[in-house]
Amino acid sequence: MNKLRVLIADDERPAREFLKSLLGSFEAVEVVGEAENGADAVDMIKVVKPDLAILDLKMPEVTGLEAVKILRKEQMPLVAFATAHDEYAVEAFELNAVDYLLKPVERARLAETINRAIERLEQEDWRAKESDRVRSAAAAYDAGIRSESLQRLPVKVRD
């Protein structure tokens, strides 16, 4: 296999630069694009066809989750989501075998993601499996977010 082609999407430039620099330290990786929101990520994925897209979960306009829902199955790269603190995302992605990275990303953890991506790309029918996994994880994440909505609001009246 040639180099693993990676696209990074994060609305925070320092986070993108940090991830790009980490990825640059791996000989088997080539960063083929950077996007600052999910809409740009979708457009770039269609054009540059990366092997792996590392998408921030929370971006303006189109989130990382919404981006994967927009892509058709044949356009879907392997996907790793990046999140700063979201426990629901971590649980959902672990259960559905979709990779995730907690920010700030550690080099050792990124190495695991890269190795996992390379292993999956070596499987013949990886695209259909990964597309189903990503969509399932996105649905589980959305369900987790909805269940967090405020059910009661305490209001103090006089004393």
Side-chain angles (χ1 to χ4, degrees), residues 9-10 37-39 41-42 45 53-72 76-77 79-83 86 88-94 96 98-100 130-146:
D10 196 310
N37 61 57
V42 168
I45 287 169
I54 300 176
L55 307 174
D56 186 11
L57 271 177
K58 296 183 180 179
M59 293 184 281
E61 294 181 42
V62 177
T63 68
L65 285 173
E66 291 165 342
V68 299
K69 291 177 185 176
I70 292 169
L71 291 166
R72 293 195 316 266
M76 184 77 69
V79 175
F81 290 101
T83 179
D86 202 324
Y88 283 105
V90 172
E91 288 174 32
F93 302 137
E94 279 181 326
N96 291 283
V98 174
D99 222 345
Y100 68 91
E130 287 303 314
S131 178
D132 292 342
R133 286 178 178 155
V134 169
R135 291 180 200 287
S136 177
Y141 177 79
D142 284 344
I145 294 272
R146 271 188 234 108

Short mmCIF file of all heavy atoms in Angstrom, two decimals, residues 9-10 37-39 41-42 45 53-72 76-77 79-83 86 88-94 96 98-100 130-146:
data_model
loop_
_atom_site.label_atom_id
_atom_site.label_comp_id
_atom_site.label_asym_id
_atom_site.label_seq_id
_atom_site.Cartn_x
_atom_site.Cartn_y
_atom_site.Cartn_z
N ALA A 9 -10.40 17.94 9.08
CA ALA A 9 -11.43 18.99 9.12
C ALA A 9 -11.63 19.41 10.57
O ALA A 9 -12.01 18.60 11.42
CB ALA A 9 -12.74 18.49 8.52
N ASP A 10 -11.34 20.67 10.85
CA ASP A 10 -11.51 21.22 12.20
C ASP A 10 -11.67 22.73 12.04
O ASP A 10 -10.94 23.35 11.27
CB ASP A 10 -10.28 20.90 13.07
CG ASP A 10 -10.55 21.10 14.55
OD1 ASP A 10 -11.07 22.19 14.92
OD2 ASP A 10 -10.25 20.21 15.33
N ASN A 37 -14.56 23.53 7.98
CA ASN A 37 -15.94 23.20 8.37
C ASN A 37 -16.38 21.94 7.64
O ASN A 37 -15.71 21.48 6.71
CB ASN A 37 -16.89 24.38 8.12
CG ASN A 37 -16.95 24.76 6.66
OD1 ASN A 37 -17.26 23.95 5.79
ND2 ASN A 37 -16.64 26.03 6.38
N GLY A 38 -17.51 21.41 8.05
CA GLY A 38 -17.98 20.16 7.48
C GLY A 38 -18.37 20.25 6.02
O GLY A 38 -18.17 19.31 5.25
N ALA A 39 -18.94 21.39 5.61
CA ALA A 39 -19.34 21.57 4.21
C ALA A 39 -18.11 21.50 3.30
O ALA A 39 -18.12 20.82 2.27
CB ALA A 39 -20.08 22.89 4.03
N ALA A 41 -15.33 20.07 4.06
CA ALA A 41 -14.81 18.70 4.17
C ALA A 41 -15.52 17.79 3.18
O ALA A 41 -14.87 17.00 2.47
CB ALA A 41 -14.97 18.17 5.59
N VAL A 42 -16.85 17.90 3.08
CA VAL A 42 -17.61 17.07 2.15
C VAL A 42 -17.14 17.33 0.71
O VAL A 42 -16.87 16.39 -0.05
CB VAL A 42 -19.14 17.34 2.27
CG1 VAL A 42 -19.91 16.72 1.13
CG2 VAL A 42 -19.65 16.81 3.60
N ILE A 45 -13.62 15.88 0.23
CA ILE A 45 -13.63 14.41 0.20
C ILE A 45 -14.04 13.93 -1.19
O ILE A 45 -13.45 12.99 -1.73
CB ILE A 45 -14.56 13.84 1.29
CG1 ILE A 45 -13.91 14.01 2.67
CG2 ILE A 45 -14.90 12.37 1.02
CD1 ILE A 45 -14.83 13.73 3.85
N ALA A 53 -10.56 10.37 6.79
CA ALA A 53 -10.93 11.75 7.10
C ALA A 53 -11.01 11.87 8.62
O ALA A 53 -11.70 11.07 9.26
CB ALA A 53 -12.27 12.11 6.47
N ILE A 54 -10.28 12.81 9.18
CA ILE A 54 -10.35 13.09 10.61
C ILE A 54 -11.21 14.33 10.76
O ILE A 54 -10.81 15.43 10.37
CB ILE A 54 -8.95 13.28 11.23
CG1 ILE A 54 -8.11 12.02 11.02
CG2 ILE A 54 -9.07 13.62 12.72
CD1 ILE A 54 -6.67 12.13 11.50
N LEU A 55 -12.42 14.13 11.29
CA LEU A 55 -13.41 15.20 11.35
C LEU A 55 -13.69 15.61 12.79
O LEU A 55 -13.96 14.77 13.64
CB LEU A 55 -14.73 14.73 10.72
CG LEU A 55 -14.66 14.15 9.31
CD1 LEU A 55 -16.03 13.59 8.90
CD2 LEU A 55 -14.20 15.21 8.33
N ASP A 56 -13.65 16.91 13.04
CA ASP A 56 -14.05 17.43 14.34
C ASP A 56 -15.56 17.22 14.46
O ASP A 56 -16.30 17.40 13.49
CB ASP A 56 -13.71 18.92 14.41
CG ASP A 56 -13.97 19.54 15.77
OD1 ASP A 56 -14.23 18.80 16.73
OD2 ASP A 56 -13.92 20.78 15.86
N LEU A 57 -16.01 16.79 15.63
CA LEU A 57 -17.44 16.56 15.81
C LEU A 57 -18.24 17.85 15.73
O LEU A 57 -19.31 17.88 15.15
CB LEU A 57 -17.69 15.92 17.19
CG LEU A 57 -17.64 14.42 17.23
CD1 LEU A 57 -17.84 13.92 18.65
CD2 LEU A 57 -18.67 13.81 16.31
N LYS A 58 -17.73 18.91 16.34
CA LYS A 58 -18.50 20.15 16.42
C LYS A 58 -17.83 21.24 15.61
O LYS A 58 -16.81 21.78 16.00
CB LYS A 58 -18.64 20.58 17.88
CG LYS A 58 -19.44 19.56 18.68
CD LYS A 58 -19.66 20.00 20.09
CE LYS A 58 -20.47 18.96 20.83
NZ LYS A 58 -20.70 19.30 22.21
N MET A 59 -18.44 21.52 14.44
CA MET A 59 -17.96 22.59 13.58
C MET A 59 -19.17 23.41 13.15
O MET A 59 -20.28 22.90 13.12
CB MET A 59 -17.28 22.02 12.32
CG MET A 59 -15.99 21.29 12.59
SD MET A 59 -15.19 20.75 11.06
CE MET A 59 -16.16 19.29 10.66
N PRO A 60 -18.95 24.69 12.81
CA PRO A 60 -20.08 25.50 12.35
C PRO A 60 -20.58 25.02 10.98
O PRO A 60 -19.87 24.30 10.28
CB PRO A 60 -19.48 26.91 12.25
CG PRO A 60 -18.01 26.71 12.15
CD PRO A 60 -17.70 25.43 12.86
N GLU A 61 -21.75 25.42 10.62
CA GLU A 61 -22.42 25.06 9.37
C GLU A 61 -22.77 23.58 9.34
O GLU A 61 -23.90 23.22 9.55
CB GLU A 61 -21.58 25.43 8.14
CG GLU A 61 -21.38 26.91 7.94
CD GLU A 61 -20.57 27.20 6.71
OE1 GLU A 61 -20.77 26.57 5.66
OE2 GLU A 61 -19.69 28.09 6.81
N VAL A 62 -21.80 22.74 9.06
CA VAL A 62 -22.01 21.30 8.97
C VAL A 62 -21.04 20.62 9.93
O VAL A 62 -19.83 20.81 9.83
CB VAL A 62 -21.77 20.79 7.53
CG1 VAL A 62 -21.92 19.28 7.44
CG2 VAL A 62 -22.72 21.47 6.56
N THR A 63 -21.56 19.85 10.89
CA THR A 63 -20.69 19.15 11.84
C THR A 63 -20.04 17.95 11.18
O THR A 63 -20.42 17.55 10.07
CB THR A 63 -21.50 18.66 13.06
OG1 THR A 63 -22.39 17.62 12.62
CG2 THR A 63 -22.28 19.78 13.73
N GLY A 64 -19.10 17.35 11.87
CA GLY A 64 -18.48 16.14 11.35
C GLY A 64 -19.48 15.03 11.13
O GLY A 64 -19.44 14.30 10.14
N LEU A 65 -20.44 14.90 12.05
CA LEU A 65 -21.48 13.87 11.91
C LEU A 65 -22.37 14.15 10.71
O LEU A 65 -22.70 13.24 9.95
CB LEU A 65 -22.35 13.83 13.17
CG LEU A 65 -21.72 13.17 14.38
CD1 LEU A 65 -22.62 13.34 15.59
CD2 LEU A 65 -21.47 11.70 14.11
N GLU A 66 -22.76 15.40 10.54
CA GLU A 66 -23.61 15.75 9.40
C GLU A 66 -22.87 15.52 8.09
O GLU A 66 -23.48 15.10 7.10
CB GLU A 66 -24.08 17.20 9.52
CG GLU A 66 -25.05 17.41 10.67
CD GLU A 66 -25.25 18.88 11.04
OE1 GLU A 66 -24.41 19.73 10.66
OE2 GLU A 66 -26.24 19.15 11.72
N ALA A 67 -21.58 15.75 8.09
CA ALA A 67 -20.78 15.55 6.88
C ALA A 67 -20.85 14.10 6.42
O ALA A 67 -21.04 13.82 5.23
CB ALA A 67 -19.33 15.97 7.12
N VAL A 68 -20.73 13.15 7.36
CA VAL A 68 -20.76 11.74 6.95
C VAL A 68 -22.16 11.32 6.49
O VAL A 68 -22.30 10.42 5.66
CB VAL A 68 -20.24 10.78 8.03
CG1 VAL A 68 -18.81 11.08 8.38
CG2 VAL A 68 -21.11 10.78 9.26
N LYS A 69 -23.18 12.00 7.00
CA LYS A 69 -24.54 11.68 6.55
C LYS A 69 -24.78 12.17 5.12
O LYS A 69 -25.59 11.62 4.39
CB LYS A 69 -25.57 12.30 7.49
CG LYS A 69 -25.57 11.65 8.86
CD LYS A 69 -26.56 12.36 9.77
CE LYS A 69 -26.50 11.82 11.17
NZ LYS A 69 -27.38 12.55 12.08
N ILE A 70 -24.08 13.23 4.72
CA ILE A 70 -24.24 13.80 3.38
C ILE A 70 -23.57 12.93 2.33
O ILE A 70 -24.07 12.79 1.22
CB ILE A 70 -23.63 15.23 3.35
CG1 ILE A 70 -24.47 16.17 4.22
CG2 ILE A 70 -23.54 15.75 1.93
CD1 ILE A 70 -23.82 17.53 4.46
N LEU A 71 -22.45 12.32 2.68
CA LEU A 71 -21.67 11.55 1.70
C LEU A 71 -22.38 10.27 1.30
O LEU A 71 -22.98 9.58 2.14
CB LEU A 71 -20.30 11.21 2.28
CG LEU A 71 -19.35 12.38 2.47
CD1 LEU A 71 -18.18 11.97 3.35
CD2 LEU A 71 -18.84 12.86 1.12
N ARG A 72 -22.31 9.94 0.03
CA ARG A 72 -22.84 8.65 -0.43
C ARG A 72 -21.84 7.55 -0.07
O ARG A 72 -20.65 7.80 0.14
CB ARG A 72 -23.05 8.68 -1.95
CG ARG A 72 -24.16 9.64 -2.36
CD ARG A 72 -24.62 9.42 -3.80
NE ARG A 72 -23.55 9.23 -4.75
CZ ARG A 72 -23.00 10.20 -5.49
NH1 ARG A 72 -23.42 11.43 -5.36
NH2 ARG A 72 -22.04 9.93 -6.34
N MET A 76 -17.54 7.59 0.79
CA MET A 76 -17.16 7.58 2.20
C MET A 76 -15.74 7.04 2.42
O MET A 76 -15.45 5.89 2.10
CB MET A 76 -18.16 6.71 2.98
CG MET A 76 -17.91 6.70 4.46
SD MET A 76 -18.48 8.19 5.28
CE MET A 76 -20.23 7.98 5.12
N PRO A 77 -14.87 7.88 2.97
CA PRO A 77 -13.55 7.37 3.37
C PRO A 77 -13.68 6.71 4.75
O PRO A 77 -14.76 6.72 5.35
CB PRO A 77 -12.71 8.64 3.47
CG PRO A 77 -13.70 9.68 3.89
CD PRO A 77 -15.00 9.31 3.24
N VAL A 79 -13.35 7.05 8.59
CA VAL A 79 -13.57 8.28 9.35
C VAL A 79 -13.14 8.10 10.79
O VAL A 79 -13.46 7.10 11.42
CB VAL A 79 -15.06 8.69 9.31
CG1 VAL A 79 -15.30 9.91 10.19
CG2 VAL A 79 -15.51 8.98 7.89
N ALA A 80 -12.40 9.07 11.29
CA ALA A 80 -12.09 9.16 12.72
C ALA A 80 -12.62 10.52 13.16
O ALA A 80 -12.37 11.53 12.51
CB ALA A 80 -10.59 9.07 12.96
N PHE A 81 -13.40 10.52 14.23
CA PHE A 81 -13.92 11.79 14.74
C PHE A 81 -13.00 12.30 15.84
O PHE A 81 -12.44 11.52 16.60
CB PHE A 81 -15.33 11.60 15.30
CG PHE A 81 -16.35 11.35 14.25
CD1 PHE A 81 -16.82 10.07 14.00
CD2 PHE A 81 -16.85 12.39 13.49
CE1 PHE A 81 -17.76 9.84 13.03
CE2 PHE A 81 -17.80 12.17 12.49
CZ PHE A 81 -18.25 10.88 12.27
N ALA A 82 -12.88 13.60 15.92
CA ALA A 82 -12.09 14.24 16.97
C ALA A 82 -13.06 15.00 17.87
O ALA A 82 -13.98 15.66 17.40
CB ALA A 82 -11.07 15.20 16.36
N THR A 83 -12.85 14.88 19.17
CA THR A 83 -13.72 15.55 20.12
C THR A 83 -12.91 15.97 21.33
O THR A 83 -11.93 15.31 21.68
CB THR A 83 -14.90 14.64 20.54
OG1 THR A 83 -15.71 15.32 21.48
CG2 THR A 83 -14.43 13.34 21.13
N ASP A 86 -16.50 14.79 24.66
CA ASP A 86 -17.84 14.25 24.59
C ASP A 86 -17.89 12.75 24.90
O ASP A 86 -17.57 11.92 24.07
CB ASP A 86 -18.40 14.51 23.20
CG ASP A 86 -19.90 14.46 23.20
OD1 ASP A 86 -20.48 13.63 23.92
OD2 ASP A 86 -20.48 15.25 22.48
N TYR A 88 -20.46 10.81 25.27
CA TYR A 88 -21.43 10.08 24.44
C TYR A 88 -20.80 9.67 23.12
O TYR A 88 -21.02 8.58 22.63
CB TYR A 88 -22.67 10.94 24.16
CG TYR A 88 -23.60 10.99 25.33
CD1 TYR A 88 -23.69 12.13 26.11
CD2 TYR A 88 -24.39 9.90 25.66
CE1 TYR A 88 -24.54 12.20 27.19
CE2 TYR A 88 -25.26 9.95 26.74
CZ TYR A 88 -25.33 11.10 27.50
OH TYR A 88 -26.17 11.15 28.58
N ALA A 89 -20.02 10.56 22.54
CA ALA A 89 -19.37 10.24 21.27
C ALA A 89 -18.42 9.08 21.46
O ALA A 89 -18.41 8.14 20.68
CB ALA A 89 -18.62 11.46 20.74
N VAL A 90 -17.63 9.13 22.52
CA VAL A 90 -16.66 8.07 22.77
C VAL A 90 -17.37 6.73 22.89
O VAL A 90 -16.99 5.76 22.25
CB VAL A 90 -15.84 8.38 24.05
CG1 VAL A 90 -14.98 7.20 24.43
CG2 VAL A 90 -14.98 9.61 23.84
N GLU A 91 -18.45 6.68 23.67
CA GLU A 91 -19.19 5.43 23.83
C GLU A 91 -19.78 4.97 22.51
O GLU A 91 -19.67 3.79 22.14
CB GLU A 91 -20.32 5.62 24.85
CG GLU A 91 -19.82 5.73 26.27
CD GLU A 91 -20.95 6.06 27.23
OE1 GLU A 91 -22.10 5.64 27.00
OE2 GLU A 91 -20.67 6.75 28.23
N ALA A 92 -20.41 5.85 21.80
CA ALA A 92 -21.06 5.48 20.54
C ALA A 92 -20.05 4.95 19.54
O ALA A 92 -20.29 3.93 18.88
CB ALA A 92 -21.79 6.68 19.94
N PHE A 93 -18.91 5.60 19.43
CA PHE A 93 -17.94 5.19 18.44
C PHE A 93 -17.22 3.91 18.84
O PHE A 93 -16.88 3.10 18.01
CB PHE A 93 -16.97 6.33 18.12
CG PHE A 93 -17.70 7.55 17.64
CD1 PHE A 93 -17.36 8.80 18.08
CD2 PHE A 93 -18.77 7.43 16.78
CE1 PHE A 93 -18.06 9.92 17.65
CE2 PHE A 93 -19.48 8.53 16.35
CZ PHE A 93 -19.12 9.78 16.78
N GLU A 94 -17.02 3.71 20.14
CA GLU A 94 -16.41 2.45 20.59
C GLU A 94 -17.35 1.30 20.26
O GLU A 94 -16.92 0.27 19.77
CB GLU A 94 -16.15 2.50 22.09
CG GLU A 94 -14.89 3.22 22.46
CD GLU A 94 -14.64 3.22 23.96
OE1 GLU A 94 -15.61 3.27 24.74
OE2 GLU A 94 -13.47 3.16 24.33
N ASN A 96 -19.54 1.04 17.99
CA ASN A 96 -19.74 0.83 16.56
C ASN A 96 -18.42 0.71 15.79
O ASN A 96 -18.42 0.81 14.58
CB ASN A 96 -20.59 1.95 15.99
CG ASN A 96 -22.01 1.85 16.49
OD1 ASN A 96 -22.77 1.03 16.02
ND2 ASN A 96 -22.36 2.66 17.47
N VAL A 98 -16.07 2.66 15.20
CA VAL A 98 -15.62 3.82 14.46
C VAL A 98 -14.55 4.47 15.32
O VAL A 98 -14.71 4.58 16.52
CB VAL A 98 -16.77 4.81 14.22
CG1 VAL A 98 -16.27 6.08 13.58
CG2 VAL A 98 -17.83 4.15 13.36
N ASP A 99 -13.46 4.91 14.72
CA ASP A 99 -12.39 5.46 15.52
C ASP A 99 -12.70 6.88 15.97
O ASP A 99 -13.49 7.58 15.35
CB ASP A 99 -11.09 5.45 14.73
CG ASP A 99 -9.92 5.01 15.59
OD1 ASP A 99 -10.07 5.01 16.82
OD2 ASP A 99 -8.88 4.68 15.03
N TYR A 100 -12.10 7.28 17.07
CA TYR A 100 -12.26 8.62 17.60
C TYR A 100 -10.94 9.04 18.22
O TYR A 100 -10.13 8.20 18.60
CB TYR A 100 -13.37 8.68 18.65
CG TYR A 100 -13.01 7.93 19.90
CD1 TYR A 100 -12.38 8.58 20.96
CD2 TYR A 100 -13.23 6.57 20.00
CE1 TYR A 100 -11.99 7.89 22.09
CE2 TYR A 100 -12.84 5.87 21.14
CZ TYR A 100 -12.23 6.53 22.17
OH TYR A 100 -11.83 5.83 23.28
N GLU A 130 -17.65 0.23 6.63
CA GLU A 130 -17.34 1.48 7.33
C GLU A 130 -18.48 2.48 7.20
O GLU A 130 -18.81 3.18 8.16
CB GLU A 130 -16.04 2.09 6.81
CG GLU A 130 -14.82 1.35 7.25
CD GLU A 130 -14.70 1.21 8.75
OE1 GLU A 130 -14.90 2.20 9.49
OE2 GLU A 130 -14.42 0.09 9.21
N SER A 131 -19.09 2.56 6.04
CA SER A 131 -20.20 3.47 5.84
C SER A 131 -21.33 3.14 6.80
O SER A 131 -21.88 4.02 7.46
CB SER A 131 -20.69 3.38 4.39
OG SER A 131 -21.79 4.22 4.20
N ASP A 132 -21.66 1.85 6.92
CA ASP A 132 -22.72 1.43 7.84
C ASP A 132 -22.33 1.72 9.29
O ASP A 132 -23.15 2.18 10.08
CB ASP A 132 -23.01 -0.07 7.68
CG ASP A 132 -23.66 -0.39 6.33
OD1 ASP A 132 -24.17 0.55 5.67
OD2 ASP A 132 -23.64 -1.57 5.93
N ARG A 133 -21.08 1.48 9.65
CA ARG A 133 -20.62 1.73 11.02
C ARG A 133 -20.69 3.21 11.37
O ARG A 133 -21.13 3.59 12.45
CB ARG A 133 -19.18 1.25 11.20
CG ARG A 133 -19.05 -0.24 11.28
CD ARG A 133 -17.59 -0.62 11.42
NE ARG A 133 -17.45 -2.05 11.54
CZ ARG A 133 -16.37 -2.72 11.21
NH1 ARG A 133 -15.32 -2.08 10.74
NH2 ARG A 133 -16.31 -4.02 11.35
N VAL A 134 -20.25 4.05 10.45
CA VAL A 134 -20.24 5.49 10.71
C VAL A 134 -21.66 6.00 10.87
O VAL A 134 -21.97 6.77 11.78
CB VAL A 134 -19.50 6.25 9.59
CG1 VAL A 134 -19.73 7.75 9.70
CG2 VAL A 134 -18.02 5.95 9.63
N ARG A 135 -22.56 5.58 10.00
CA ARG A 135 -23.95 6.03 10.08
C ARG A 135 -24.61 5.54 11.38
O ARG A 135 -25.36 6.27 12.01
CB ARG A 135 -24.73 5.58 8.85
CG ARG A 135 -24.27 6.30 7.60
CD ARG A 135 -25.03 5.88 6.36
NE ARG A 135 -24.32 6.19 5.15
CZ ARG A 135 -24.15 7.39 4.63
NH1 ARG A 135 -24.62 8.44 5.26
NH2 ARG A 135 -23.51 7.58 3.51
N SER A 136 -24.30 4.32 11.78
CA SER A 136 -24.84 3.78 13.02
C SER A 136 -24.32 4.56 14.22
O SER A 136 -25.07 4.89 15.14
CB SER A 136 -24.46 2.30 13.13
OG SER A 136 -24.90 1.77 14.33
N ALA A 137 -23.05 4.89 14.21
CA ALA A 137 -22.45 5.66 15.31
C ALA A 137 -23.05 7.06 15.35
O ALA A 137 -23.33 7.59 16.42
CB ALA A 137 -20.94 5.74 15.14
N ALA A 138 -23.27 7.66 14.19
CA ALA A 138 -23.86 9.00 14.14
C ALA A 138 -25.27 8.98 14.73
O ALA A 138 -25.65 9.88 15.47
CB ALA A 138 -23.89 9.50 12.69
N ALA A 139 -26.03 7.94 14.43
CA ALA A 139 -27.39 7.83 14.97
C ALA A 139 -27.35 7.67 16.49
O ALA A 139 -28.13 8.28 17.22
CB ALA A 139 -28.11 6.65 14.32
N ALA A 140 -26.42 6.84 16.99
CA ALA A 140 -26.29 6.64 18.43
C ALA A 140 -25.88 7.95 19.12
O ALA A 140 -26.39 8.28 20.19
CB ALA A 140 -25.25 5.55 18.72
N TYR A 141 -24.99 8.69 18.50
CA TYR A 141 -24.56 9.98 19.05
C TYR A 141 -25.73 10.96 19.11
O TYR A 141 -25.97 11.61 20.11
CB TYR A 141 -23.42 10.54 18.20
CG TYR A 141 -22.95 11.90 18.66
CD1 TYR A 141 -22.11 12.02 19.75
CD2 TYR A 141 -23.35 13.06 18.00
CE1 TYR A 141 -21.67 13.27 20.18
CE2 TYR A 141 -22.91 14.29 18.42
CZ TYR A 141 -22.08 14.40 19.51
OH TYR A 141 -21.66 15.62 19.93
N ASP A 142 -26.48 11.04 18.00
CA ASP A 142 -27.64 11.94 17.96
C ASP A 142 -28.65 11.58 19.04
O ASP A 142 -29.20 12.46 19.70
CB ASP A 142 -28.32 11.88 16.59
CG ASP A 142 -27.55 12.64 15.52
OD1 ASP A 142 -26.66 13.45 15.89
OD2 ASP A 142 -27.82 12.43 14.32
N ALA A 143 -28.88 10.29 19.24
CA ALA A 143 -29.81 9.84 20.28
C ALA A 143 -29.30 10.27 21.66
O ALA A 143 -30.08 10.69 22.52
CB ALA A 143 -29.99 8.33 20.22
N GLY A 144 -28.01 10.15 21.89
CA GLY A 144 -27.41 10.56 23.16
C GLY A 144 -27.55 12.05 23.41
O GLY A 144 -27.84 12.49 24.51
N ILE A 145 -27.38 12.84 22.37
CA ILE A 145 -27.51 14.29 22.48
C ILE A 145 -28.96 14.66 22.83
O ILE A 145 -29.20 15.47 23.70
CB ILE A 145 -27.12 14.98 21.15
CG1 ILE A 145 -25.67 14.78 20.87
CG2 ILE A 145 -27.49 16.44 21.15
CD1 ILE A 145 -24.75 15.80 21.44
N ARG A 146 -29.92 14.05 22.13
CA ARG A 146 -31.32 14.37 22.37
C ARG A 146 -31.74 14.02 23.78
O ARG A 146 -32.51 14.73 24.39
CB ARG A 146 -32.21 13.62 21.36
CG ARG A 146 -32.41 14.43 20.11
CD ARG A 146 -33.43 13.82 19.20
NE ARG A 146 -32.79 13.66 17.91
CZ ARG A 146 -32.42 12.52 17.39
NH1 ARG A 146 -32.69 11.39 17.96
NH2 ARG A 146 -31.81 12.50 16.24
#
